[in-house]
Amino acid sequence: MEFPEDLRYTKSHEWARVSGDRAVCGITDFAQHELSDVVYVELPEIGGVVTAGEQCAVVESVKIAADIYAPLSGTVTKVNTGLDGAPETVNTDPHGAGWLFELELSDPAELDGLMDADAYKAHTEAEKH
């Protein structure tokens, strides 16, 4: 299981990679393992405004459809259209090519409410028990 140090994490297993006033977001390696084979991804609309903790996307796997929550508040500036023809990329590279959407942050201070890699790793260990 991978826990990249440059990401911040939610308890609901989304990640955010922040650079300046923007954040690229996706689901964690732990989440994609739990979902198993991803077969469809419904992404938010570009220009849409999302609030931290609000459902904004859906990932469907062979096991279940799971709501994806915005890790931070902001305006959707990009979505990963490459997932339209290759949703399995979420399984093969969840923290890289399998990113879901990019936000222009409306409240960068919300970043303080997300977990670092060590805290998220401990969170996933606790969920296993």
Side-chain angles (χ1 to χ4, degrees), residues 14 26-27 35 54-59 66-70 100-101:
E14 291 85 12
I27 64 170
L35 289 169
E54 175 184 273
Q55 188 270 335
C56 66
V58 176
V59 173
D67 290 336
I68 306 302
Y69 302 95
L100 301 179
F101 55 89

Side-chain angles (χ1 to χ4, degrees), residues 111-128:
L111 194 59
D112 295 338
L114 300 181
M115 293 179 275
D116 64 14
D118 289 339
Y120 180 67
K121 186 175 182 179
H123 173 69
T124 61
E125 290 296 322
E127 280 201 351
K128 289 179 185 175

Side-chain angles (χ1 to χ4, degrees), residues 15-121:
W15 57 261
R17 179 178 288 120
V18 176
S19 178
D21 65 347
R22 297 190 184 245
V24 175
C25 306
I27 64 170
T28 65
D29 194 23
F30 178 86
Q32 70 83 17
H33 274 284
E34 293 293 308
L35 289 169
S36 75
D37 298 333
V38 173
V39 294
Y40 178 75
V41 179
E42 181 181 311
L43 297 169
E45 288 189 29
I46 293 175
V49 175
V50 299
T51 301
E54 175 184 273
Q55 188 270 335
C56 66
V58 176
V59 173
E60 292 184 27
S61 71
V62 293
K63 289 171 57 177
I64 190 171
D67 290 336
I68 306 302
Y69 302 95
L72 299 162
S73 300
T75 302
V76 179
T77 55
K78 291 182 186 174
V79 296
N80 187 352
T81 56
L83 298 177
D84 289 344
E88 67 277 8
T89 306
V90 173
N91 293 116
T92 59
D93 192 9
H95 302 124
W99 66 280
L100 301 179
F101 55 89
E102 179 186 85
L103 297 175
E104 181 177 339
L105 303 177
S106 60
D107 185 5
E110 290 176 343
L111 194 59
D112 295 338
L114 300 181
M115 293 179 275
D116 64 14
D118 289 339
Y120 180 67
K121 186 175 182 179

